[in-house]
């Protein structure tokens, strides 16, 4: 048995949690759109072709914003291909994913799907093969009320009211050599600045995200971000971060990856603040961690995938219990930086490295990673509180010292409920957690949810969808301000406390 301690105090506020921390992502990639959210002819499809069974699984996740249409896809996308009568839309080669894009689903269908899913769109413009003109036309089509070529075309397409898309991404991963039309930092910075300026001329109310480094291991990490911000600082609202982790050796090393994520965020914040100082700006730049997840199970199969198929089953990672634990640690990391990470997108939402999977023509199920995301999105709202977790550490290569306990708390807006999220990274030992909660004498335990499994590689499938599911038989107790709870080995825990 391991021992660990936490302290809950009202004045240890890390930051207000923007609900958009629980965003997600749908790309024209694999079966995310076709056979995922959109499948006309499916027995559960609604008249618009949206799968109602998928919408039902997504609803509890309360995803406030969904990024679209890419990802790598957007860097070669002609948004005009996806509007107007569906039967006259062109089929195109999608070079990003070596697939054929039918364009049966486009911007208007996505906006309608967002209404059905009770979420908001976050659209990306193509700054790979295109530029300021296409971005300007697209925002005029989406957001301008009426009386111009593009806004009246939208109205003729059946959308009288503007879509009012609030958040726009200025391209995607433009530092990546895998990108159609990758750029140097200076070239991208100039282009993003001009596109931002013009897009805000069309609609000054929008928020813009500039592309930061594609991940923390890029050779140009940091330098790219600094140069891009030197060009765009006063014109954009967010800088993007992306990361995907893979299990390269063992579970212990894999679970240590959230410490890399923490460091990535810290380094980018320092750069944003340096540029702010250099420019003597009054403005604070926030972060949009708009792609994050575990991604590795499908890589080999994808490398063998025949090219130029419509909606091939790409990036269909089947997630394990240990993947859910790392996703839990990544959520804790995002919450720890709630003061600056004001948007984040779990990449992605359906079929493609996703919490929800479907069988084309068949059913759908929740992957293991669904659960930590569900819990955090449900109860991780309000204000993030530091718990100063203290536990034994272990050593992981490339990271160094890693605490067995990862934990954070959130205080809801009414200040009558606190939720503790905690991961026990130990492979074989339970952890006896002791908490000093004397600062919250009015609280009582509502429930203690636990996601645990004896096999770290256990997964859910269409036929066995409930192999890894949480239970609420955790035994957290609170007596006289002293919390005690047992966290099983390799477990995700949610301890819910409410005013008596
Ligand atoms: O989410 C999958 C891909 O990962 C995205 O298209 C790209 O932006 C990133 O490299």
């Amino acid at each position: 048995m391991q021992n660990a301690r936490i302290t809950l105090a009202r004045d240890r506020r890390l930051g207000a949690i923007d609900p958009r921390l629980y965003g997600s992502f749908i790309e024209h990639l694999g079966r995310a759109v076709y056979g995922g959210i959109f499948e006309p002819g499916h027995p559960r499809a609604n008249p618009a072709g949206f799968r109602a069974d998928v919408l039902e699984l997504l609803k509890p996740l309360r995803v406030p914003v969904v990024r679209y249409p890419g990802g790598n896809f957007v860097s070669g996308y002609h948004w005009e291909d996806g509007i107007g009568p569906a039967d006259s839309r062109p089929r195109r080669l999608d070079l990003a994913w070596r697939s054929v894009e039918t364009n049966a689903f486009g911007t208007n269908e996505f906006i309608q799907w967002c209404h059905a899913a009770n979420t908001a769109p976050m659209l990306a413009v193509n700054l790979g093969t295109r530029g300021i003109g296409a971005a300007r036309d697209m925002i005029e089509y989406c957001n301008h009320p009426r009386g111009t070529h593009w806004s009246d075309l939208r109205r003729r397409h059946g959308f009288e009211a503007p879509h009012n898309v609030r958040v726009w991404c200025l391209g995607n991963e433009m530092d990546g050599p895998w990108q159609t039309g990758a750029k140097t930092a200076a070239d991208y910075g100039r282009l993003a600045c001009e596109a931002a300026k013009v897009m805000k001329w069309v609609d000054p109310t929008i928020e813009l995200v500039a592309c930061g480094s594609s991940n923390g291991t890029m050779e140009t990490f940091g330098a790219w971000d600094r140069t891009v911000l030197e060009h765009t600082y006063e014109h954009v609202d967010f800088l993007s971060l992306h990361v995907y982790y893979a299990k390269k050796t063992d579970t212990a090393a894999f679970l240590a990856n959230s410490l890399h994520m923490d460091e990535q965020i810290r380094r980018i914040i320092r750069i944003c603040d340096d540029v702010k100082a250099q420019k003597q700006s009054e403005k604070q730049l926030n972060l949009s961690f708009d792609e994050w997840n575990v991604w590795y199970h499908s890589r080999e199969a994808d490398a063998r995938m025949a090219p130029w198929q419509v909606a091939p089953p790409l990036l269909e990672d089947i997630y394990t219990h240990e993947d859910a634990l790392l996703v839990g640690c990544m959520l804790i990391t995002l919450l720890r930086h709630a003061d600056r990470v004001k948007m984040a997108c779990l990449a992605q939402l359906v079929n493609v490295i996703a919490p929800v999977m479907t069988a084309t023509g068949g059913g759908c199920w929740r992957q293991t990673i669904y659960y930590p995301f569900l819990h955090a999105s449900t109860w991780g709202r309000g204000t993030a509180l530091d718990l100063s977790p203290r536990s034994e550490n272990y050593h992981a290569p490339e990271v160094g010292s890693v605490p067995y306990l990862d934990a954070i708390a959130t205080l809801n807006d009414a200040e009558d409920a606190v939720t503790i999220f905690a991961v026990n990274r130990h492979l074989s030992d339970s952890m006896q957690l002791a908490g000093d909660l004397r600062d919250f004498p009015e609280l009582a335990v509502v429930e203690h949810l636990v996601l645990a499994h004896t096999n770290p590689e256990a997964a859910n499938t269409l036929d066995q969808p409930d192999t890894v599911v949480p239970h609420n038989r955790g035994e957290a107790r609170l007596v006289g301000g002293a919390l005690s709870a047992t966290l099983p080995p390799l477990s995700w825990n949610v301890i819910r406390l409410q005013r008596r």
Side-chain angles (χ1 to χ4, degrees):
M1 179 77 84
Q2 297 278 315
N3 288 306
R5 297 195 63 79
I6 53 174
T7 304
L8 194 67
R10 281 186 196 279
D11 60 359
R12 299 237 180 110
R13 290 170 195 249
L14 292 166
I17 301 161
D18 191 312
R20 293 184 296 182
L21 204 64
Y22 302 111
S24 189
F25 179 26
I26 287 283
E27 177 167 5
H28 280 254
L29 192 187
R31 296 188 311 118
V33 172
Y34 307 110
I37 60 171
F38 179 69
E39 195 179 339
H42 187 280
R44 298 291 315 277
N46 69 13
F50 305 151
R51 282 187 61 159
D53 54 345
V54 172
L55 286 169
E56 276 164 24
L57 288 194
L58 296 180
K59 196 174 167 200
L61 296 179
R62 293 178 62 201
V63 174
V65 65
V66 178
R67 187 166 172 253
Y68 171 89
N72 298 342
F73 173 81
V74 79
S75 298
Y77 185 48
H78 284 224
W79 68 272
E80 304 89 331
D81 291 348
I83 56 171
D87 52 6
S88 52
R89 296 184 192 172
R91 287 165 75 92
R92 301 253 190 222
L93 290 185
D94 161 25
L95 301 183
W97 301 106
R98 293 169 61 76
S99 306
V100 168
E101 172 55 51
T102 65
N103 285 302
F105 188 98
T107 304
N108 293 323
E109 287 79 17
F110 179 66
I111 300 289
Q112 287 177 297
W113 181 83
C114 286
H115 291 309
N118 195 24
T119 189
M122 170 182 186
L123 295 185
V125 297
N126 174 356
L127 293 189
T129 60
R130 306 187 81 190
I132 303 161
R136 165 213 181 288
D137 294 346
M138 188 178 183
I139 190 163
E140 182 180 320
Y141 180 89
C142 288
N143 285 13
H144 193 70
R146 52 166 55 225
T148 65
H149 170 76
W150 290 108
S151 58
D152 287 342
L153 186 60
R154 182 200 68 239
R155 293 171 61 225
R156 284 202 297 282
H157 289 159
F159 301 91
E160 179 61 36
H163 293 325
N164 275 327
V165 178
R166 298 268 61 82
V167 190
W168 295 77
C169 301
L170 296 162
N172 175 70
E173 296 189 348
M174 297 307 307
D175 58 335
W178 57 87
Q179 210 65 221
T180 315
K183 312 244 174 313
T184 64
D187 285 349
Y188 171 70
R190 284 288 306 130
L191 178 60
C193 168
E194 290 303 312
K197 207 175 76 183
V198 170
M199 289 170 77
K200 285 195 174 176
W201 282 345
V202 178
D203 182 350
T205 67
I206 59 171
E207 294 175 288
L208 291 171
V209 186
C211 291
S213 292
S214 293
N215 60 67
T217 62
M218 298 297 290
E219 255 178 50
T220 51
F221 179 79
W224 166 278
D225 305 81
R226 186 179 296 277
T227 304
V228 167
L229 288 181
E230 281 165 359
H231 287 284
T232 59
Y233 196 89
E234 296 297 349
H235 298 274
V236 301
D237 304 280
F238 298 91
L239 185 69
S240 75
L241 293 83
H242 292 179
V243 82
Y244 296 100
Y245 292 117
K247 184 176 171 189
K248 295 182 190 143
T249 54
D250 56 21
T251 302
F254 177 59
L255 295 182
N257 274 311
S258 57
L259 278 77
H260 283 301
M261 187 191 201
D262 191 84
E263 183 58 21
Q264 183 181 352
I265 295 171
R266 286 179 199 282
R267 288 176 65 184
I268 294 299
I269 290 174
R270 278 199 293 273
I271 290 166
C272 290
D273 293 347
D274 273 3
V275 177
K276 176 184 178 186
Q278 179 189 320
K279 289 189 173 288
Q280 300 184 28
S281 174
E282 291 300 313
K283 169 175 159 187
Q284 169 176 293
L285 204 78
N286 289 325
L287 309 186
S288 171
F289 215 127
D290 48 39
E291 289 189 32
W292 67 271
N293 204 345
V294 170
W295 171 14
Y296 68 101
H297 298 278
S298 58
R299 296 242 185 209
E300 271 179 46
D302 289 350
R304 292 192 302 270
M305 193 69 67
W308 316 131
Q309 302 181 63
V310 173
L314 288 167
L315 280 69
E316 299 207 358
D317 276 39
I318 297 302
Y319 287 118
T320 61
H321 175 59
E322 62 194 359
D323 296 334
L325 297 181
L326 180 56
V327 163
C329 292
M330 292 171 88
L331 283 161
I332 290 172
T333 306
L334 291 172
L335 285 167
R336 194 171 285 132
H337 292 285
D339 60 330
R340 295 300 288 272
V341 182
K342 293 292 180 187
M343 259 190 323
C345 302
L346 173 68
Q348 299 190 9
L349 192 55
V350 179
N351 286 335
V352 169
I353 44 175
V356 168
M357 295 297 292
T358 72
T360 301
C364 55
W365 74 98
R366 300 170 187 87
Q367 295 235 56
T368 59
I369 64 166
Y370 181 96
Y371 295 105
F373 190 83
L374 169 73
H375 296 156
S377 180
T378 305
W379 294 296
R381 299 195 182 221
T383 303
L385 295 180
D386 178 30
L387 287 172
S388 305
R390 278 148 291 158
S391 69
E392 304 260 301
N393 285 20
Y394 66 95
H395 179 83
E398 294 174 21
V399 178
S401 187
V402 182
Y404 283 113
L405 174 67
D406 198 4
I408 198 144
T410 58
L411 173 64
N412 74 348
D413 286 331
E415 303 217 350
D416 62 356
V418 168
T419 304
I420 295 169
F421 300 99
V423 172
N424 177 6
R425 291 187 175 104
H426 204 286
L427 305 187
S428 53
D429 286 4
S430 289
M431 179 178 282
Q432 190 55 48
L433 180 69
D436 179 347
L437 270 65
R438 285 173 298 178
D439 213 15
F440 289 87
E442 71 282 12
L443 294 179
V445 175
V446 176
E447 65 176 345
H448 173 183
L449 295 159
V450 181
L451 187 70
H453 203 284
T454 48
N455 176 7
E457 296 189 343
N460 298 337
T461 61
L462 180 60
D463 296 331
Q464 294 192 305
D466 296 331
T467 305
V468 184
V469 288
H471 65 76
N472 64 357
R473 299 185 303 279
E475 292 175 349
R477 298 259 177 282
L478 182 57
V479 181
L483 179 81
S484 63
T486 304
L487 315 186
L490 291 182
S491 64
W492 159 260
N493 299 265
V494 182
I495 301 173
R496 296 183 49 222
L497 305 142
Q498 187 120 26
R499 184 179 291 158
R500 275 185 285 245

